Amino acid sequence: VITFKKPDLIKIEWTSSFGGMKEPFVLWSNKKGTFTFNQLLNQVRTETSLQQAIQSWTGVSGGSVRHVPCMLLSVMSGPEFNDLTDLKYDQTESIGGTVCHMISGKRRGQPITLWIGQKDSLLRKITASTPFGDGVEVHENIKLNDTLEDSSVSFSPPANAEQVERFDHKKLKTSAQQPPSPYAKPGAAE
């Protein structure tokens, strides 16, 4: 889930899978700084900058934390879609009720397919192979030009979340441990 308010307020929520374990994250940037919350560990990390945070989470998120921000934020740069090769139009397909153009090709020699809304030209889905494995990213319930309060682009981790410099996975007792229900009523810390 990506929530964005111009010029530079953003919240990105995603879940990474490691060895069958699901690990939910929230990255947000506001007037106070840029932060990442790891729900599984109940830890919060203060990031150096939004650009650095997005760069550091690009691999483990299968690129999902980077694709849309590269299109929206001036602080982001890079060849996310500029280096696509062997592009071809495949067909139309419906994603979440939106008819999309399906375009396939290669990025850095690896297969990638994009679904772009036929009427609104918005990115609706990506499938891509990366060094970390195959990834699928779907964008649904897209709302444009909604009036957003700054608070809707922020996140408050639980009050008992530990502030850390680096996420400590040694705290997990077993790889089978699963996180509690996603983002249950957050506390007051920000």
Side-chain angles (χ1 to χ4, degrees):
V1 175
I2 299 172
T3 308
F4 173 73
K5 182 177 178 184
K6 289 182 180 183
D8 58 4
L9 300 178
I10 192 163
K11 178 173 63 174
I12 306 169
E13 301 171 62
W14 78 97
T15 300
S16 293
S17 295
F18 299 103
M21 180 174 42
K22 297 200 179 293
E23 192 167 15
F25 291 90
V26 179
L27 180 144
W28 73 102
S29 187
N30 57 30
K31 294 171 183 139
K32 295 179 183 179
T34 301
F35 311 90
T36 304
F37 174 63
N38 179 316
Q39 180 190 349
L40 185 63
L41 299 174
N42 196 33
Q43 295 177 342
V44 178
R45 182 171 86 181
T46 301
E47 305 289 355
T48 306
S49 69
L50 177 58
Q51 184 175 14
Q52 174 273 325
I54 288 174
Q55 295 286 48
S56 71
W57 290 110
T58 295
V60 296
S61 71
S64 63
V65 300
R66 184 173 169 75
H67 293 132
V68 173
C70 274
M71 294 185 282
L72 298 173
L73 297 167
S74 62
V75 298
M76 294 303 301
S77 61
E80 259 340 279
F81 298 110
N82 295 336
D83 64 349
L84 298 179
T85 60
D86 303 328
L87 293 174
K88 68 175 185 162
Y89 178 83
D90 286 332
Q91 60 188 24
T92 59
E93 185 176 312
S94 183
I95 302 295
T98 300
V99 177
C100 297
H101 298 292
M102 193 172 150
I103 300 166
S104 62
K106 294 192 178 199
R107 179 176 60 191
R108 297 177 205 111
Q110 298 294 316
I112 185 169
T113 304
L114 308 173
W115 286 258
I116 300 174
Q118 200 172 45
K119 291 183 180 176
D120 59 18
S121 299
L122 294 175
L123 181 63
R124 299 295 177 150
K125 181 177 176 180
I126 300 175
T127 60
S129 294
T130 72
F132 297 96
D134 295 338
V136 177
E137 176 181 336
V138 179
H139 301 280
E140 297 178 308
N141 303 316
I142 297 172
K143 297 176 185 166
L144 298 175
N145 301 319
D146 269 5
T147 301
L148 293 175
E149 298 298 324
D150 288 0
S151 61
S152 67
V153 188
S154 195
F155 177 77
S156 293
N160 66 343
E162 179 184 6
Q163 180 72 41
V164 297
E165 286 187 30
R166 144 178 274 176
F167 293 124
D168 183 6
H169 287 87
K170 293 176 190 167
K171 289 188 169 210
L172 297 177
K173 292 179 177 65
T174 171
S175 65
Q177 184 176 348
Q178 292 294 313
S181 64
Y183 315 117
K185 301 277 182 187
E190 195 162 317

